[in-house]
Every structure is written in C-alpha cells, then in structure tokens.
Amino acid sequence: MNSFLNPIISLAPVLLVAMPVAGACFGWGISKLGLEFNRWTSFSNTIVTVLILGTVIFAPFRKGTQEQIDSQPTRQISVTLKLPEVTSAQSDAVSPRTFKWSLDSTSVWFLLLPTCLWPILVLFSHQIIDASRLHYFLLLLLQSVLTGVLVSYDLISFLSFLLLTTFCMLCLIRLWSGSRFRDEFESTMYLQFLGDGLILGGLLLAAVGYQWMQGVLLEAPQPVTFQMTQLLQGTASDLSLYPLAKAYWSTISPWIFLLLLTGFTIKGMFFPVHYGVTQWLHVVSAQPLSKPLPVGWYLVLLALITKICIYGMIRFMIPLNSTVGSQLSSVLAFWGACGFLLAALIAFVRRDLLQIVVWFLIGQTALTLTVLFTAGSASVSNFILLNVIQGLACCLLLLTTPLISDQKFSRTNKLLLMVSALSVMTLIGAPGLGGFTALIAFLWSLVNQSLVIGFCYLLGTLLFNLTLIRAFWQLVKQEHQETYALNDDKKTALNEKLGLACLAFSPAMALILFMGISPTTLTETSSFALHESHVHSSESPTTEN
C-alpha cells in the first residue's frame, strides 16, 4: 500500500493543479462530440481531486510512528531551474533557483473549499446563465490557479498564480456580464490589479529586505531568496536570536506590513464593498430580461477571492511582521474587532440575505486581524478550520439563494431550501455542525486575552446570527413578484438531475456535518509559524562556580 501511496502523496501538489486543466481540456474535447460538458468535468475531475486530498490527509497514519509523521509534516515536490549567476564574473557559473509546490495543514484546509464548491458551481451553471464551453473551461482553469495559490511555496509561483487568478476571474465576469456592466467591470479590474500590485510590492520588499539583513549578519552579500520556508522561518529565527537583525528589520517591517495589509484589504475587503456601491447586488427589473442576472456567480467569486486574501494574511502577516505585531497587537486586534462589529451593525439594517452574507464576509476579513494578533496559536489553527467551513456555507448561500423560487412543492426548490437552511445554521454556529467547538474555543481565547475584544466579538456574532435567521425566514415566507420560470422540458431535466445534485452537494454536506468537533491531527503541525508575534527569546543567565 505504501509503495502505491507514496508517489501519489509526493506528486499531490502537481496533480491538484494539473487535474482541473486536464478536466477542462477533456471537457472541451467531448463537448465537440456533442456530449455534456458539465457532467463529465464535474465528477471526473472532482472525484479524482477528492481522492488525492483524502490520500494526503489520511495516508500518513499508515506510514509509521508518530515521530516519523512529525518529522515530515508536509508533502513537497520541487522543480529546480539552474539560472546564470548574476553576481559572479564567470560566464558559466550557475545558481539554482527552486520553484516548490507543497502541502501543509493550512493549505490542505483551504483546499477543501474549492474542492467541495466546484461540483456545485459546474452543476448549476445552466440554471443561472446560458453556460458555454468557454465558461466551463475558464471555471476549471480558475480552480487550477486557486489551487496553485494554495500550494505555492515560493514567491514567484505564488505571485504568478495570484495574477492568473485575477485574470481568470475578470474573464469570467466579462463573459457573464457582456456590455451591461462595462464601467463596473473596468473599475473592478483596476481595483483587483491595484491590490495585486501592493501585494507584489510587499512580498518583493520582504525578499530584498531579508537579503540585506542576511548580508549584514554574515558580513557578505547574499543572493535574493524567493522560498517561503527560508524567508518566513528565517526571518522569525533571526529576529529571535540576533538583536542586530531585530533592529534592522524594525525599519523595514512597518512598510511590509502596510503594503500587505493594504493590498489584501483592497483585493478582498474592498471588493464586496465595491459590489454594493456599484449596485451589482440588485437585479435591474426595469428592463425585460430573458434570464436573471448572474448575481450568484459574482458573489461566489467575491467570496473565493476574500478567502484567498484571508489565506494570504494568515500565511504572511505574522512571520514577516512579528515586530509590528508585538508593538501594535492590541491596536490591531481592537481594530479588527471593531470592523467585525461594524459589519454586523451594517448587516443588521439590511433585509436581503445576499447583502447580509456579503457583509458577513467583510466582517470575517476584519476579524482576521483580531485572530492573528490577539488569539493564541491553538485558536489560530481553529480559526483556519472555522473560516473554511463558514466560507463554504457563505458560497452555498450566495449560489442557491437566487435560484429559490415560489414553487414551494418543487423537489429542486426543497433541496435548495434545505441547503440554504443548513448553511444558515452553520453560520450561526449551531451545535453539532462544522466549526462549533472551534467557535467556542476562539471566543474563550479572546475573552482570556481581552474582555473588551471578546465582548465586541460576541456582540457582533449575536447580531449576525439574529440577522441571518431573520433574513432566511423572510426569504422562505416572501412572495416573489417576478420569477424566471424554466420551460417544462428544463424543469423535467432539472428534476431528473436531483440525484446528481445530491451527489454534488455530498462533499460539502460531509464537511459541514462531520467537523462539529475540531480535528487536531492536521492543525497541530504546519510548515510556517502561524503565531510568531507572541514568541519572545529569553536568555537564561549562566552561573559559574
């Protein structure tokens, strides 16, 4: 068994990136033959992805003792390119540059989000828009580049996949909206590329600053490294061991922190605000439309980009800014708690469930600052799980809510209502559902750190829970004035696919239902320090006889 699993585990990062691309090309080919693109790509690609992730998650327990498992917590595959050495006068000198794709506990949890979500996105394509082959092709490419962002262990790969994610997302938005929202599309494009530029500047400044710091410590010029492991762990280690490194890094760290925080905030947090300001959340009823606007697609992309920005904050903010975090931890934590509470207050005055979920995503992004700079290291790991579970619930709500109609006796409508109800119960932290124990542990950690911050988080949570329950109740009871009914043949075909829909929802349901108790096997170890801002070096004085 081990001889069969070891190659799959070692090649897992590459397979997870390559499988959606292979599925897209396969679906494009069979669609030329007259077969359905969505069925084939949804399940051939997703089943293989689920099997690979399951192998990565559970295979280490079959391989040896706990010491052997702890010594190799990650699954890595590296691609090494030998490039000409710039600093040497020799023309034939080479310097290896390694591009590494890997998996650890943090990336595995975030990978569960697109894995569970993509079958649903593919399945409901025709129910929201007239999906074309280009739509499916771009959708699977987006899954591939999102996976690439999560498995990248060097800055070049991470930034490349991040830019490709923006490009694929903009292509999908342009394909869906056409010429209807040209101004909003252009402003979204500028906003996304501005965030990418700031993130790019912050990470490059961190790489160059680490090179200069190493040159000062070793008293010799050092090559620039783009490896995340060396950059993040090396920075945290040098700052805890050498006062000179800490003094030097304190002059660069504030600028890195400002660039990264601004970039991730613009790309993730300003994105939903931009949708609300430009009225993308409102269906224009003045013009007779042949089909409803693809509101659900826009908002699901919004949720995914927001979660990627939260992943970037968790991955880079603490190891690169431990000095800033130790000095401004209380201010940043209070800022994040106030942002979460403010988002809850704004959502409370809303009536539409879609807008409430959007503000919930904004509040979760603001809450990340509180988690990173106030909560304990165990709560950070729990927050990762909670963020993925709630992100999946948000995406399900954003996707299924526009599809709910007033045909209450339709089996498809009952399925959508059931999924929406389960998602709302997950977001409010119902006992027995995903992330419940993580939510309690996180609240307890905040209360132990600061009673004011814990109170802000508790009040914001209660407001969000009340608002979500009220909005869902109104959604169930309201009478829709205008419905975009499907034709009879489409209704029949949709009802025949009910079993297929249940199969597509099954990974998401299993993830929500069976994560009621937070598992610790994957969150105990991680390649990167998740909470370095509270680690301080201590020197014990030696006594001489």
Side-chain angles (χ1 to χ4, degrees), residues 391-460:
L392 179 60
C394 286
C395 289
L396 291 178
L397 271 177
L398 295 174
L399 186 64
T400 57
T401 300
L403 297 176
I404 297 176
S405 65
D406 59 350
Q407 300 174 357
K408 302 185 182 299
F409 298 102
S410 172
R411 290 185 296 174
T412 304
N413 198 68
K414 290 181 179 179
L415 175 64
L416 296 176
L417 284 174
M418 181 190 69
V419 173
S420 300
L422 183 63
S423 301
V424 170
M425 292 173 65
T426 303
L427 290 180
I428 66 177
L433 293 179
F436 174 71
T437 54
L439 186 68
I440 300 300
F442 175 55
L443 175 61
W444 183 257
S445 176
L446 289 184
V447 171
N448 288 334
Q449 293 290 335
S450 174
L451 187 60
V452 176
I453 294 177
F455 175 76
C456 292
Y457 170 70
L458 180 60
L459 181 59

Coordinates of all heavy atoms in Angstrom, one line a residue, residues 391-460:
G391 N -16.8 29.8 5.1 CA -16.7 30.3 3.7 C -17.5 29.4 2.8 O -18.1 29.9 1.8
L392 N -17.4 28.1 3.0 CA -18.2 27.2 2.2 C -19.7 27.4 2.4 O -20.5 27.4 1.4 CB -17.9 25.7 2.5 CG -18.6 24.6 1.8 CD1 -18.4 24.8 0.3 CD2 -18.2 23.3 2.3
A393 N -20.1 27.7 3.6 CA -21.6 28.0 3.9 C -22.0 29.3 3.2 O -23.1 29.4 2.6 CB -21.8 28.0 5.4
C394 N -21.1 30.3 3.2 CA -21.4 31.5 2.5 C -21.5 31.3 1.0 O -22.5 31.9 0.4 CB -20.3 32.6 2.8 SG -20.3 33.3 4.5
C395 N -20.6 30.6 0.4 CA -20.7 30.3 -1.0 C -22.0 29.6 -1.4 O -22.6 29.9 -2.4 CB -19.5 29.5 -1.5 SG -17.9 30.5 -1.4
L396 N -22.4 28.6 -0.6 CA -23.6 27.9 -0.8 C -24.8 28.8 -0.8 O -25.7 28.7 -1.6 CB -23.8 26.7 0.2 CG -22.8 25.6 0.0 CD1 -23.1 24.5 1.1 CD2 -22.9 24.9 -1.4
L397 N -24.8 29.7 0.2 CA -25.9 30.7 0.3 C -26.0 31.6 -0.9 O -27.0 31.9 -1.5 CB -25.8 31.5 1.6 CG -26.5 30.9 2.8 CD1 -26.2 31.8 4.1 CD2 -28.0 30.7 2.6
L398 N -24.8 32.1 -1.3 CA -24.8 33.1 -2.4 C -25.2 32.4 -3.7 O -25.7 33.1 -4.6 CB -23.4 33.6 -2.5 CG -22.9 34.5 -1.3 CD1 -21.4 34.9 -1.5 CD2 -23.7 35.8 -1.2
L399 N -24.9 31.1 -3.8 CA -25.2 30.4 -5.0 C -26.7 30.0 -5.1 O -27.3 30.0 -6.2 CB -24.3 29.2 -5.2 CG -24.4 28.5 -6.5 CD1 -24.0 29.4 -7.7 CD2 -23.5 27.3 -6.5
T400 N -27.2 29.5 -4.0 CA -28.5 28.9 -4.0 C -29.7 29.9 -3.8 O -30.8 29.6 -4.3 CB -28.6 27.8 -2.9 OG1 -28.3 28.3 -1.6 CG2 -27.7 26.6 -3.2
T401 N -29.4 31.0 -3.1 CA -30.5 31.9 -2.8 C -31.1 32.5 -4.1 O -32.3 32.6 -4.2 CB -30.0 33.0 -1.9 OG1 -29.5 32.5 -0.7 CG2 -31.1 34.0 -1.6
P402 N -30.3 32.9 -5.1 CA -31.0 33.5 -6.3 C -31.8 32.4 -7.0 O -32.7 32.8 -7.9 CB -29.8 34.0 -7.2 CG -28.7 34.2 -6.2 CD -28.9 33.1 -5.2
L403 N -31.6 31.1 -6.8 CA -32.3 30.1 -7.5 C -33.6 29.7 -6.8 O -34.4 28.9 -7.4 CB -31.4 28.8 -7.6 CG -30.1 29.0 -8.5 CD1 -29.3 27.7 -8.4 CD2 -30.4 29.4 -9.9
I404 N -33.8 30.1 -5.6 CA -35.1 29.7 -4.9 C -36.2 30.5 -5.5 O -36.2 31.7 -5.6 CB -34.9 30.0 -3.4 CG1 -33.8 29.2 -2.8 CG2 -36.2 29.8 -2.6 CD1 -33.5 29.5 -1.3
S405 N -37.3 29.8 -5.8 CA -38.5 30.4 -6.4 C -39.7 30.2 -5.5 O -39.5 29.7 -4.4 CB -38.7 29.8 -7.8 OG -39.0 28.4 -7.7
D406 N -40.8 30.6 -6.0 CA -42.0 30.5 -5.2 C -42.7 29.1 -5.4 O -43.8 28.9 -4.9 CB -43.0 31.6 -5.4 CG -43.4 31.7 -6.9 OD1 -42.8 31.0 -7.7 OD2 -44.3 32.5 -7.2
Q407 N -42.1 28.3 -6.2 CA -42.7 27.0 -6.4 C -42.3 26.1 -5.2 O -41.3 25.3 -5.3 CB -42.2 26.4 -7.7 CG -42.6 27.2 -8.9 CD -41.9 26.7 -10.2 OE1 -41.2 25.8 -10.2 NE2 -42.3 27.4 -11.3
K408 N -43.0 26.1 -4.2 CA -42.6 25.5 -2.9 C -42.7 24.0 -2.9 O -42.1 23.3 -2.1 CB -43.5 26.0 -1.8 CG -43.4 27.6 -1.6 CD -44.1 28.1 -0.4 CE -44.1 29.6 -0.3 NZ -42.7 30.1 -0.2
F409 N -43.4 23.4 -3.9 CA -43.6 22.0 -3.9 C -42.6 21.3 -4.9 O -42.7 20.1 -5.1 CB -45.0 21.6 -4.3 CG -46.0 22.1 -3.3 CD1 -46.8 23.2 -3.5 CD2 -46.2 21.4 -2.1 CE1 -47.7 23.7 -2.6 CE2 -47.1 21.9 -1.1 CZ -47.9 23.0 -1.4
S410 N -41.8 22.1 -5.5 CA -40.8 21.6 -6.4 C -39.7 20.9 -5.6 O -39.2 21.4 -4.6 CB -40.2 22.7 -7.3 OG -39.1 22.2 -8.0
R411 N -39.3 19.7 -6.1 CA -38.2 18.9 -5.4 C -36.9 19.7 -5.4 O -36.2 19.7 -4.4 CB -38.1 17.5 -6.0 CG -39.2 16.6 -5.7 CD -38.9 15.2 -6.2 NE -38.8 15.3 -7.7 CZ -38.4 14.2 -8.4 NH1 -38.2 13.1 -7.8 NH2 -38.3 14.3 -9.7
T412 N -36.6 20.3 -6.5 CA -35.4 21.1 -6.6 C -35.4 22.3 -5.7 O -34.4 22.6 -5.0 CB -35.2 21.6 -8.0 OG1 -35.2 20.5 -8.9 CG2 -33.9 22.4 -8.2
N413 N -36.6 23.0 -5.6 CA -36.7 24.1 -4.6 C -36.6 23.6 -3.2 O -36.0 24.3 -2.4 CB -38.0 24.8 -4.9 CG -38.1 26.2 -4.3 OD1 -37.4 27.1 -4.8 ND2 -38.8 26.4 -3.2
K414 N -37.1 22.5 -2.9 CA -36.9 21.9 -1.5 C -35.5 21.6 -1.2 O -35.0 21.9 -0.1 CB -37.8 20.7 -1.3 CG -39.3 20.9 -1.3 CD -40.0 19.6 -1.1 CE -41.6 19.9 -1.1 NZ -42.3 18.6 -0.9
L415 N -34.8 21.1 -2.2 CA -33.3 20.8 -2.0 C -32.6 22.1 -1.7 O -31.7 22.2 -0.9 CB -32.8 20.1 -3.2 CG -31.3 19.9 -3.2 CD1 -30.9 18.9 -2.1 CD2 -30.8 19.3 -4.6
L416 N -32.9 23.2 -2.5 CA -32.2 24.5 -2.3 C -32.5 25.1 -1.0 O -31.6 25.6 -0.3 CB -32.6 25.4 -3.5 CG -32.2 25.0 -4.9 CD1 -32.7 26.0 -5.9 CD2 -30.7 24.9 -5.0
L417 N -33.7 25.0 -0.5 CA -34.1 25.5 0.8 C -33.4 24.7 1.9 O -32.9 25.3 2.9 CB -35.6 25.4 1.0 CG -36.4 26.5 0.3 CD1 -37.9 26.2 0.4 CD2 -36.1 27.9 0.8
M418 N -33.3 23.4 1.7 CA -32.6 22.6 2.7 C -31.1 23.0 2.8 O -30.5 23.1 3.9 CB -32.7 21.1 2.4 CG -32.0 20.2 3.4 SD -32.0 18.5 2.8 CE -30.8 18.6 1.5
V419 N -30.5 23.2 1.6 CA -29.1 23.6 1.6 C -28.9 25.0 2.2 O -28.0 25.2 3.0 CB -28.5 23.5 0.2 CG1 -27.1 24.1 0.1 CG2 -28.5 22.1 -0.3
S420 N -29.8 25.9 1.9 CA -29.7 27.2 2.5 C -29.9 27.2 4.0 O -29.2 27.9 4.7 CB -30.8 28.1 1.8 OG -30.6 28.2 0.4
A421 N -30.9 26.4 4.5 CA -31.1 26.3 5.9 C -29.9 25.7 6.6 O -29.5 26.2 7.7 CB -32.3 25.4 6.2
L422 N -29.3 24.7 6.0 CA -28.1 24.1 6.6 C -26.9 25.1 6.7 O -26.2 25.2 7.6 CB -27.7 22.8 5.9 CG -26.5 22.1 6.4 CD1 -26.8 21.5 7.8 CD2 -26.1 20.9 5.5
S423 N -26.8 25.9 5.6 CA -25.7 26.9 5.6 C -26.0 28.0 6.6 O -25.0 28.4 7.3 CB -25.7 27.5 4.2 OG -25.4 26.5 3.2
V424 N -27.2 28.4 6.8 CA -27.5 29.4 7.8 C -27.2 28.9 9.2 O -26.6 29.6 10.0 CB -29.0 29.9 7.7 CG1 -29.4 30.8 8.9 CG2 -29.2 30.7 6.4
M425 N -27.6 27.7 9.5 CA -27.3 27.1 10.8 C -25.9 26.9 11.0 O -25.4 27.0 12.1 CB -28.0 25.7 10.8 CG -29.6 25.8 10.9 SD -30.3 24.1 10.8 CE -29.8 23.4 12.3
T426 N -25.1 26.6 9.9 CA -23.6 26.6 10.1 C -23.0 27.9 10.4 O -22.1 28.0 11.3 CB -23.0 26.0 8.8 OG1 -23.6 24.7 8.5 CG2 -21.5 25.9 8.9
L427 N -23.5 29.0 9.8 CA -23.0 30.3 10.0 C -23.3 30.8 11.4 O -22.5 31.5 12.0 CB -23.6 31.3 9.0 CG -23.1 31.2 7.5 CD1 -23.7 32.2 6.6 CD2 -21.5 31.3 7.5
I428 N -24.5 30.4 12.0 CA -24.8 30.9 13.3 C -24.2 30.0 14.4 O -24.4 30.3 15.6 CB -26.4 30.9 13.5 CG1 -27.0 29.5 13.4 CG2 -27.0 31.9 12.5 CD1 -28.4 29.5 13.7
G429 N -23.5 29.0 14.0 CA -22.8 28.2 15.0 C -23.7 27.2 15.7 O -23.5 27.0 16.9
A430 N -24.6 26.6 15.0 CA -25.5 25.6 15.7 C -24.7 24.4 16.2 O -23.8 23.9 15.5 CB -26.6 25.1 14.7
P431 N -25.0 23.9 17.3 CA -24.2 22.7 17.9 C -24.3 21.5 17.0 O -25.4 21.2 16.4 CB -24.9 22.5 19.2 CG -25.5 23.8 19.6 CD -26.0 24.4 18.3
G432 N -23.2 20.8 16.8 CA -23.2 19.6 16.0 C -22.8 19.9 14.6 O -22.6 19.0 13.8
L433 N -22.7 21.2 14.2 CA -22.4 21.5 12.8 C -20.9 22.0 12.8 O -20.3 22.2 13.8 CB -23.3 22.6 12.2 CG -24.7 22.1 12.0 CD1 -25.6 23.3 11.5 CD2 -24.8 20.9 11.1
G434 N -20.4 22.1 11.6 CA -19.0 22.4 11.4 C -18.5 23.7 12.1 O -19.1 24.7 12.1
G435 N -17.4 23.5 12.8 CA -16.8 24.7 13.4 C -17.4 25.1 14.8 O -17.0 26.1 15.3
F436 N -18.3 24.3 15.3 CA -18.9 24.8 16.6 C -17.9 24.8 17.7 O -17.9 25.8 18.4 CB -20.1 23.8 16.9 CG -20.7 24.1 18.2 CD1 -21.5 25.2 18.4 CD2 -20.6 23.2 19.3 CE1 -22.1 25.5 19.7 CE2 -21.1 23.4 20.5 CZ -21.9 24.6 20.7
T437 N -17.2 23.8 17.9 CA -16.2 23.8 19.0 C -15.1 24.7 18.8 O -14.6 25.3 19.7 CB -15.6 22.3 19.2 OG1 -15.1 21.9 18.0 CG2 -16.7 21.4 19.7
A438 N -14.7 24.9 17.5 CA -13.7 25.9 17.2 C -14.2 27.3 17.5 O -13.4 28.2 18.0 CB -13.3 25.8 15.7
L439 N -15.5 27.6 17.3 CA -16.1 28.9 17.6 C -16.0 29.1 19.1 O -15.7 30.2 19.5 CB -17.5 28.9 17.1 CG -18.3 30.2 17.2 CD1 -17.7 31.3 16.2 CD2 -19.7 30.0 16.8
I440 N -16.4 28.1 19.9 CA -16.4 28.3 21.3 C -14.9 28.5 21.8 O -14.7 29.4 22.7 CB -17.0 27.1 22.0 CG1 -18.5 26.9 21.6 CG2 -16.9 27.2 23.5 CD1 -19.3 28.1 21.9
A441 N -14.0 27.7 21.3 CA -12.6 27.8 21.8 C -12.0 29.2 21.4 O -11.3 29.8 22.2 CB -11.8 26.7 21.1
F442 N -12.4 29.7 20.2 CA -11.9 31.0 19.8 C -12.5 32.1 20.7 O -11.7 33.0 21.1 CB -12.3 31.2 18.3 CG -11.9 32.6 17.8 CD1 -10.7 33.1 17.9 CD2 -12.9 33.4 17.2 CE1 -10.3 34.3 17.4 CE2 -12.6 34.6 16.8 CZ -11.3 35.1 16.8
L443 N -13.7 32.1 21.0 CA -14.3 33.0 21.9 C -13.7 33.0 23.3 O -13.4 34.1 23.9 CB -15.8 32.8 22.0 CG -16.6 33.7 23.0 CD1 -16.5 35.2 22.6 CD2 -18.1 33.3 23.1
W444 N -13.4 31.8 23.8 CA -12.8 31.7 25.1 C -11.4 32.3 25.1 O -10.9 32.9 26.0 CB -12.8 30.2 25.5 CG -12.2 30.0 26.9 CD1 -10.9 29.5 27.2 CD2 -12.8 30.2 28.1 NE1 -10.7 29.4 28.5 CE2 -11.9 29.9 29.1 CE3 -14.0 30.7 28.5 CZ2 -12.2 30.0 30.5 CZ3 -14.3 30.8 29.9 CH2 -13.4 30.5 30.8
S445 N -10.6 32.1 24.0 CA -9.3 32.6 23.9 C -9.3 34.2 23.8 O -8.5 34.8 24.5 CB -8.6 32.1 22.6 OG -7.4 32.7 22.4
L446 N -10.3 34.8 23.1 CA -10.4 36.2 23.1 C -10.7 36.8 24.4 O -10.2 37.8 24.8 CB -11.4 36.6 22.0 CG -11.0 36.4 20.5 CD1 -12.1 37.0 19.7 CD2 -9.7 37.1 20.2
V447 N -11.6 36.1 25.1 CA -12.0 36.6 26.5 C -10.9 36.6 27.4 O -10.7 37.5 28.2 CB -13.2 35.8 27.0 CG1 -13.5 36.2 28.5 CG2 -14.5 36.1 26.1
N448 N -10.0 35.6 27.3 CA -8.9 35.5 28.2 C -7.8 36.6 27.9 O -7.1 37.1 28.8 CB -8.2 34.1 28.1 CG -9.0 33.0 28.7 OD1 -9.8 33.3 29.6 ND2 -8.9 31.8 28.2
Q449 N -7.7 37.0 26.6 CA -6.8 38.0 26.2 C -7.3 39.4 26.6 O -6.6 40.2 27.1 CB -6.5 37.9 24.7 CG -5.8 36.6 24.3 CD -4.3 36.6 24.8 OE1 -3.7 37.7 25.0 NE2 -3.8 35.4 24.9
S450 N -8.6 39.7 26.2 CA -9.1 41.0 26.5 C -10.6 40.9 26.6 O -11.3 40.3 25.6 CB -8.7 41.9 25.3 OG -9.4 43.2 25.5
L451 N -11.2 41.4 27.6 CA -12.6 41.3 27.8 C -13.4 42.2 26.8 O -14.5 41.8 26.4 CB -13.0 41.7 29.3 CG -14.4 41.5 29.7 CD1 -14.8 40.0 29.6 CD2 -14.7 42.0 31.1
V452 N -12.8 43.3 26.5 CA -13.5 44.2 25.6 C -13.5 43.6 24.2 O -14.6 43.7 23.5 CB -12.7 45.6 25.6 CG1 -13.4 46.5 24.5 CG2 -12.8 46.2 26.9
I453 N -12.4 43.1 23.7 CA -12.4 42.5 22.4 C -13.3 41.2 22.3 O -14.0 41.0 21.3 CB -10.9 42.1 22.0 CG1 -10.1 43.3 21.9 CG2 -10.9 41.3 20.7 CD1 -8.6 43.1 21.6
G454 N -13.3 40.4 23.4 CA -14.2 39.3 23.4 C -15.7 39.7 23.4 O -16.5 39.1 22.8
F455 N -16.0 40.8 24.1 CA -17.4 41.3 24.1 C -17.8 41.8 22.7 O -18.9 41.6 22.3 CB -17.5 42.5 25.1 CG -18.9 43.1 25.1 CD1 -20.0 42.5 25.7 CD2 -19.0 44.4 24.6 CE1 -21.2 43.1 25.7 CE2 -20.3 45.0 24.5 CZ -21.4 44.3 25.1
C456 N -16.9 42.6 22.0 CA -17.1 43.0 20.7 C -17.4 41.9 19.7 O -18.3 41.9 18.9 CB -16.0 43.9 20.1 SG -15.8 45.5 21.0
Y457 N -16.6 40.8 19.9 CA -16.8 39.6 19.0 C -18.1 38.9 19.3 O -18.8 38.5 18.4 CB -15.6 38.7 19.2 CG -15.8 37.3 18.5 CD1 -15.8 37.2 17.1 CD2 -16.0 36.2 19.3 CE1 -16.1 36.0 16.5 CE2 -16.3 35.0 18.7 CZ -16.2 34.9 17.3 OH -16.5 33.7 16.7
L458 N -18.4 38.8 20.6 CA -19.7 38.1 21.0 C -20.9 38.9 20.5 O -21.9 38.4 20.0 CB -19.7 38.0 22.5 CG -21.0 37.3 23.1 CD1 -21.1 35.9 22.5 CD2 -20.9 37.2 24.6
L459 N -20.9 40.3 20.7 CA -22.0 41.1 20.3 C -22.1 41.1 18.7 O -23.3 40.9 18.2 CB -21.7 42.6 20.7 CG -22.9 43.6 20.4 CD1 -24.2 43.1 21.0 CD2 -22.5 45.0 20.9
G460 N -21.0 41.1 18.0 CA -21.1 41.0 16.5 C -21.6 39.7 16.1 O -22.4 39.6 15.2

